[in-house]
Short mmCIF file of all heavy atoms in Angstrom, two decimals:
data_model
loop_
_atom_site.label_atom_id
_atom_site.label_comp_id
_atom_site.label_asym_id
_atom_site.label_seq_id
_atom_site.Cartn_x
_atom_site.Cartn_y
_atom_site.Cartn_z
N GLU A 2 0.73 2.08 -0.98
CA GLU A 2 1.49 3.32 -1.05
C GLU A 2 0.53 4.49 -0.88
O GLU A 2 -0.61 4.44 -1.34
CB GLU A 2 2.22 3.43 -2.38
CG GLU A 2 3.32 2.41 -2.53
CD GLU A 2 4.13 2.61 -3.80
OE1 GLU A 2 3.96 3.65 -4.47
OE2 GLU A 2 4.93 1.72 -4.11
N LEU A 22 3.18 -9.16 12.98
CA LEU A 22 4.61 -8.89 12.93
C LEU A 22 5.06 -9.03 11.48
O LEU A 22 4.59 -9.90 10.76
CB LEU A 22 5.38 -9.88 13.79
CG LEU A 22 5.21 -9.73 15.29
CD1 LEU A 22 5.93 -10.87 16.00
CD2 LEU A 22 5.74 -8.41 15.76
N LEU A 75 11.33 -29.50 -0.91
CA LEU A 75 10.77 -29.85 -2.21
C LEU A 75 11.87 -30.26 -3.19
O LEU A 75 11.74 -31.26 -3.90
CB LEU A 75 9.97 -28.67 -2.77
CG LEU A 75 9.33 -28.90 -4.14
CD1 LEU A 75 8.30 -30.02 -4.07
CD2 LEU A 75 8.71 -27.62 -4.65
#
Side-chain angles (χ1 to χ4, degrees):
E2 292 186 10
L22 290 175
L75 180 63

